[in-house]
Each structure stands twice: as C-alpha cells, then as structure tokens.
Amino acid sequence: QSVLTQPPSVSGAPGQRVTISCTGSSSNIGAGHDVHWYQQLPGTAPKLLIYNNNNRPSGVPDRFSGSKSGTSASLAITGLQAEDETDYYCQSYDSSLSGWVFGGGTKLTVL
Amino acid sequence: QVQLQESGPGLVKPSQTLSLTCTVSGGSISSGDYYWSWIRQPAGKGLEWIGRIYPSGSTNYNPSLKSRVTISIDTSKNQFSLKLGSVTAADTAVYYCARMAVGFDYFDPWGQGTLVTVSS
C-alpha cells in the first residue's frame, strides 16, 4: 500500500488530454511538500518528468504539465502520442515517516 | 553529465546480506551539493526509497528498513554502497541508485538498476 495514491491505469486516444492524479495526506502533499513525477519506460529506470510540482527538466516536451492543490497533485499530458504509453509515478516527502514516498504508479494506455 | 551504475551479486540467499555498489562518473561524489540514495522496485510494483547518504557520511533511512540497512560512501573511489541484512524473498527487487540535490527532494539522475533475487 503506497503512501501516495494513484489510479492503476488511465487511457486516452491519440491527440487527447489525460490526467493522472496523486492523492496524499496532511503529512506529505498537504504539508506543503513538493510533488515530482517520473516516467518509466519498460525495463528502464524512472526518468524525472516534472519537478517541484510544475517544472519540466530540459528536454521534456511542454505537453507534460503538473499541478498541486491541497493534498493532491496531477500530471496532465496533452496531445497524447503512442510513445507516452508507459508507467508514471508521483513522489513527495512525508514528514511523519521522515522519508521520501512514491505513488503506486499509473499505467497509461494510448488507445 | 553525471552517470550512476549499480553493481553487485544478482542472487542472494535468504537470511544473508545483500551488498550493492553504485559508481558515480562524470562528477565528484564528494560535492556537498548532493545526497546519494538507494531506491528499489519489486517486479510489477511501485518504488520504495531505502535511504540516502551525504558525503560527510551522514545517513537517513526508511524507518521500515532501518534495522537492516547500512549505506556507506567511499569518496576515494567515487562510490557509495548498500548493505541490507537478513534478506527474504520480499527483498527481491530491482535496486536503483540515484542523486538528490541539497535543498530539493527529487531524484535525478538514476542508475539503470540491478535485479537482486533472494532465493536458496
């Protein structure tokens, strides 16, 4: 059971917009800790996609965006492409656990 | 740019100690600007932070693993290491090393990961 809750799967057609939610609590996201997102292609290490809630590292397309409100955060992907079909994880810090925590991951399917 | 590479045995017997090393290239592990972490991922499951170390040797561990984990650093070799004792099948996972900048709490970059199987 992950500390941060993500939907196991989401799907969308090419060109559409999808969002992936990440729900936490008052000891992590709700406490003001930043949320970060990673993309993990099959058989590879996670790659930083969004940091500090809504910032994209160099090289990440602007089709990817993040937001945070209250005890939740969201990753939005617009203009869906076949190459976006993979797993996505959110991550934050938890004050009660005194450590870094991840969501359980969401598998994005491009229909 | 900085690259991280995990190495170590791919098979460990139950009750024994898992030992892995992460070699950092393209930058100095001694830089006071970064922490160095271990993260693991059981097959088909999510990610779990194990712990981190600062060049000074200061460590932070996941409370759920703290009693079994030791992370150390060797600045002369630009490496840091993980030891996890009393392993069981539940410790079977891909183990990643990753960097975290001081003042921030995201992991970037990551090593490619190494699969460790706990089995007799």
Side-chain angles (χ1 to χ4, degrees), chain A residues 2 33-34 36 38 40 43-48 50-52 57 89 91-93 97-105, chain B residues 6 37 39 41 44-50 52 60-63 96 100 103-113:
Chain A
S2 300
H33 296 297
D34 289 326
H36 319 288
Y38 301 87
Q40 186 176 33
T44 71
K47 168 193 162 190
L48 183 66
I50 296 288
Y51 67 95
N52 294 359
Y89 292 88
Q91 175 248 309
S92 186
Y93 179 80
L97 298 175
S98 297
W100 288 267
V101 293
F102 292 88
Chain B
E6 305 86 352
S37 282
I39 296 158
Q41 183 176 35
K45 296 188 178 180
L47 299 156
E48 180 180 36
W49 174 74
I50 299 170
R52 71 174 188 176
N60 302 102
Y61 297 132
N62 185 324
Y96 297 100
M100 176 184 284
F104 297 89
D105 60 0
Y106 57 83
F107 302 98
D108 181 61
W110 297 54
Q112 67 183 32

Side-chain angles (χ1 to χ4, degrees), chain B residues 44-112:
Chain B
K45 296 188 178 180
L47 299 156
E48 180 180 36
W49 174 74
I50 299 170
R52 71 174 188 176
I53 190 165
Y54 191 65
S56 66
S58 174
T59 54
N60 302 102
Y61 297 132
N62 185 324
S64 69
L65 298 169
K66 188 174 183 177
S67 63
R68 300 193 290 132
V69 173
T70 301
I71 297 176
S72 58
I73 193 165
D74 187 337
T75 55
S76 67
K77 295 182 178 179
N78 231 33
Q79 296 175 334
F80 64 106
S81 298
L82 168 70
K83 290 189 184 301
L84 179 65
S86 305
V87 297
T88 69
D91 296 309
T92 294
V94 174
Y95 285 75
Y96 297 100
C97 54
R99 185 183 73 173
M100 176 184 284
V102 172
F104 297 89
D105 60 0
Y106 57 83
F107 302 98
D108 181 61
W110 297 54
Q112 67 183 32

Side-chain angles (χ1 to χ4, degrees), chain A residues 8-90:
Chain A
S9 63
V10 298
S11 63
Q16 285 190 335
R17 177 181 186 270
V18 297
T19 61
I20 298 172
S21 61
C22 175
T23 302
S25 68
S26 58
S27 61
N28 41 67
I29 299 175
H33 296 297
D34 289 326
V35 177
H36 319 288
W37 292 89
Y38 301 87
Q39 179 190 61
Q40 186 176 33
L41 297 172
T44 71
K47 168 193 162 190
L48 183 66
L49 192 66
I50 296 288
Y51 67 95
N52 294 359
N53 308 313
N54 55 14
N55 295 277
R56 287 185 309 276
S58 174
V60 173
D62 60 7
R63 301 187 297 105
F64 296 90
S65 63
S67 63
K68 173 188 158 187
S69 179
T71 58
S72 296
S74 290
L75 171 70
I77 309 172
T78 59
L80 264 184
Q81 299 180 4
E83 66 202 51
D84 299 332
E85 183 167 293
T86 192
D87 296 326
Y88 296 84
Y89 292 88
C90 62

